[in-house]
Amino acid sequence: MKNLINKWYRNHSLVFKILLFILTTFFIVYLFPKTGKFRFSFEKGKPWQSETLYAPFDFSLKKTEQDLEKERRELRLTADVLINFKPEIETLVLNNFQDILKSQDDTSDSLQEYQAIGTSVIKKLYRFPVLDEKYTCNQNQIAVLITDNQMVKKLRCVDLRSILEVDSFIDQQLIKVDNTIMKSRLKSLIISQILPNAIVNEELIKFRTEAKVKQLSSEYGLIKKGQLIITKDQVVNVEKLKILNSLR
């Protein structure tokens, strides 16, 4: 007991200093007003009740969650449509069409006419990629054709055709053929050889789009120190609300 009392007398100065430090820290952290606390109250659509406010320091303007969600949605709706494109399909279809014609029991003149008309229709069809299925595009979307992992061409997405549209396309192209039998036979021969030469790469579209979404900035501008923010009695509109919330 005596030793304990002696230790206290020898170290009481140090203990006192430690207690004083703890109490001082407590008062500074919890009782003193916090630096930079936003002391103004405001409400959207209501007049600014305080004095004219100037930016006390430089600060960034922050987008609202609604603004960010709108940008994300816009990115997804307007993303480039990435197409795996096989240009060699057109040559394959033309060759197959020629071969099937040669196997038909036709006169030389008739064969040449079939070849001329059929070849013309097939080439017109493949001026734009033929998708393996219907794909719905937005008006401003761009289709990007990719062959061997390289971009080869860009075009309007709405110009893409699907294999389901081939029938009506051929009808339009053969509308000037007066011979009903020839028209029907040509259509049958052409359709039997048509193959899609484009496939939408949904996985790659999603990957690239989501990468862009992650890169969206949460800020959209900068207010400089001393810049006027709002004057007394000025209505707090949408833009002023964004600025005040960013400052707060």
Side-chain angles (χ1 to χ4, degrees), residues 6-19:
N6 288 334
K7 287 182 180 179
W8 164 256
Y9 279 114
R10 284 199 302 269
N11 298 306
H12 77 280
S13 178
L14 177 62
V15 173
F16 177 76
K17 289 178 180 178
I18 292 173
L19 290 175

Side-chain angles (χ1 to χ4, degrees), residues 13-238:
S13 178
L14 177 62
V15 173
F16 177 76
K17 289 178 180 178
I18 292 173
L19 290 175
L20 182 61
F21 174 78
I22 293 172
L23 286 172
T24 303
T25 302
F26 174 82
F27 276 102
I28 291 174
V29 173
Y30 292 99
L31 300 182
F32 281 41
K34 293 180 176 60
T35 303
K37 184 177 180 181
F38 195 78
R39 64 184 186 277
F40 304 104
S41 61
F42 56 89
E43 188 177 345
K44 179 183 175 182
K46 298 293 181 65
W48 176 254
Q49 298 298 318
S50 304
E51 295 299 319
T52 296
L53 178 63
Y54 295 89
F57 46 78
D58 294 352
F59 64 93
S60 299
L61 296 175
K62 301 185 184 303
K63 298 175 184 175
T64 65
E65 183 55 36
Q66 291 86 347
D67 290 334
L68 286 169
E69 184 55 36
K70 182 180 178 181
E71 288 186 25
R72 295 185 196 109
R73 186 167 57 251
E74 186 68 19
L75 267 177
R76 294 183 178 114
L77 287 174
T78 59
D80 288 347
V81 180
L82 307 175
I83 307 289
N84 293 335
F85 180 58
K86 296 183 177 181
E88 68 274 11
I89 292 293
E90 179 181 353
T91 301
L92 176 65
V93 170
L94 284 169
N95 290 339
N96 289 344
F97 177 71
Q98 300 293 338
D99 291 341
I100 199 172
L101 274 181
K102 291 175 183 178
S103 68
Q104 304 294 309
D105 185 19
D106 287 313
T107 64
S108 178
D109 291 343
S110 176
L111 180 63
Q112 288 180 359
E113 189 173 5
Y114 273 79
Q115 284 180 334
I117 297 173
T119 299
S120 175
V121 171
I122 291 171
K123 286 184 175 181
K124 287 179 181 178
L125 173 66
Y126 284 108
R127 283 178 182 172
F128 295 103
V130 179
L131 292 170
D132 62 330
E133 60 183 6
K134 183 69 176 177
Y135 186 83
T136 303
C137 299
N138 292 313
Q139 187 65 32
N140 297 323
Q141 271 185 295
I142 298 297
V144 179
L145 306 187
I146 300 172
T147 302
D148 297 329
N149 295 321
Q150 298 292 325
M151 185 192 77
V152 294
K153 187 178 180 180
K154 287 186 177 183
L155 66 156
R156 297 189 309 163
C157 187
V158 292
D159 288 333
L160 297 171
R161 297 192 180 103
S162 84
I163 198 72
L164 301 176
E165 299 171 277
V166 169
D167 190 282
S168 59
F169 177 85
I170 293 174
D171 283 338
Q172 291 176 347
Q173 297 303 311
L174 298 179
I175 199 167
K176 293 183 179 180
V177 178
D178 296 326
N179 188 318
T180 305
I181 296 176
M182 177 183 282
K183 180 187 293 187
S184 176
R185 191 178 175 195
L186 259 174
K187 179 179 178 180
S188 177
L189 289 171
I190 295 170
I191 285 181
S192 69
Q193 301 306 312
I194 297 301
L195 296 169
N197 65 347
I199 300 174
V200 176
N201 193 328
E202 298 277 10
E203 187 176 340
L204 186 57
I205 293 172
K206 183 177 180 181
F207 175 80
R208 290 194 177 182
T209 303
E210 293 309 310
K212 289 181 180 180
V213 167
K214 289 179 181 178
Q215 291 174 357
L216 283 175
S217 173
S218 62
E219 301 173 350
Y220 71 97
L222 178 70
I223 297 294
K224 302 289 287 185
K225 181 180 179 180
Q227 185 174 334
L228 174 64
I229 295 178
I230 192 168
T231 58
K232 183 175 174 61
D233 295 328
Q234 185 178 358
V235 174
V236 180
N237 58 23
V238 174

